[in-house]
C-alpha cells in the first residue's frame, strides 16, 4: 500500500465516523427524552381523590349545619322571638292572623318555614 491509499482510507473512516456522529446527534435532538413517573401520577391521582372526598364531607357538614340553623331560627320564632332567614338574612317571625293559620315566615322575602 502506498501513502496515498492509506490517507484515502483514513479520510473515508473519518467521514464515516463524522456522518455517524451527526446522525446520532440528529436522532437525539429529534426525540426529546420523555419520562413518565407512574408512581408520581398514581400519588397525584390519590391525593386528588382524597381532596374530593374531603370537599364532599365538608359540603355535607355545611348542609347539616345550615339545616340546624334553620331549625333553630324556626324554634326561636315560634317562641315569639326573631330568627334569621338563611336566604336573605332577614328576620323570621311568627305571624298570627285572625282568620288564617299561624305561620313562621321571613318578614323580608316572605319565605314560609312552618304553617300551623
Amino acid at each position: 500500500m502506498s501513502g496515498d491509499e492509506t490517507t484515502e482510507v483514513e479520510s473515508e473512516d473519518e467521514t464515516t465516523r463524522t456522518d455517524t456522529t451527526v446522525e446520532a446527534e440528529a436522532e437525539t435532538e429529534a426525540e426529546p427524552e420523555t419520562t413518565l413517573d407512574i408512581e408520581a401520577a398514581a400519588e397525584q391521582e390519590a391525593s386528588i381523590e382524597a381532596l374530593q372526598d374531603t370537599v364532599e364531607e365538608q359540603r355535607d357538614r355545611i348542609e347539616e349545619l345550615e339545616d340546624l340553623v334553620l331549625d333553630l331560627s324556626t324554634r326561636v320564632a315560634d317562641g315569639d322571638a326573631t330568627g334569621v332567614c338563611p336566604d336573605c338574612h332577614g328576620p323570621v317571625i311568627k305571624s298570627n292572623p285572625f282568620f288564617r293559620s299561624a305561620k313562621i315566615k321571613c318578614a323580608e322575602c316572605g319565605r314560609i318555614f312552618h304553617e300551623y
Side-chain angles (χ1 to χ4, degrees):
M1 281 187 132
S2 67
D4 292 335
E5 290 177 8
T6 307
T7 308
E8 287 179 20
V9 171
E10 288 176 4
S11 297
E12 288 178 13
D13 287 342
E14 288 178 18
T15 306
T16 306
R17 286 185 199 140
T18 306
D19 291 341
T20 306
T21 306
V22 170
E23 288 176 10
E25 289 176 2
E27 288 178 10
T28 303
E29 291 176 8
E31 297 176 15
E33 291 185 29
T34 306
T35 57
L36 178 62
D37 191 0
I38 296 175
E39 292 176 6
E43 287 177 11
Q44 184 178 11
E45 192 70 30
S47 67
I48 289 172
E49 289 176 11
L51 288 173
Q52 288 174 341
D53 291 342
T54 302
V55 167
E56 186 64 34
E57 289 172 5
Q58 288 177 349
R59 183 178 297 129
D60 293 342
R61 179 77 175 149
I62 288 170
E63 288 175 4
E64 180 184 348
L65 290 173
E66 286 176 346
D67 290 342
L68 289 173
V69 168
L70 177 61
D71 183 54
L72 181 62
S73 291
T74 304
R75 288 174 188 253
V76 167
D78 187 42
D80 292 331
T82 304
V84 178
C85 179
D87 296 334
C88 68
H89 304 292
V92 175
I93 57 172
K94 181 178 181 180
S95 64
N96 247 343
F98 291 113
F99 300 109
R100 287 182 254 151
S101 60
K103 297 177 186 173
I104 297 176
K105 66 178 186 175
C106 177
E108 287 188 19
C109 68
R111 178 178 172 188
I112 298 173
F113 296 99
H114 185 69
E115 189 169 345
Y116 297 96

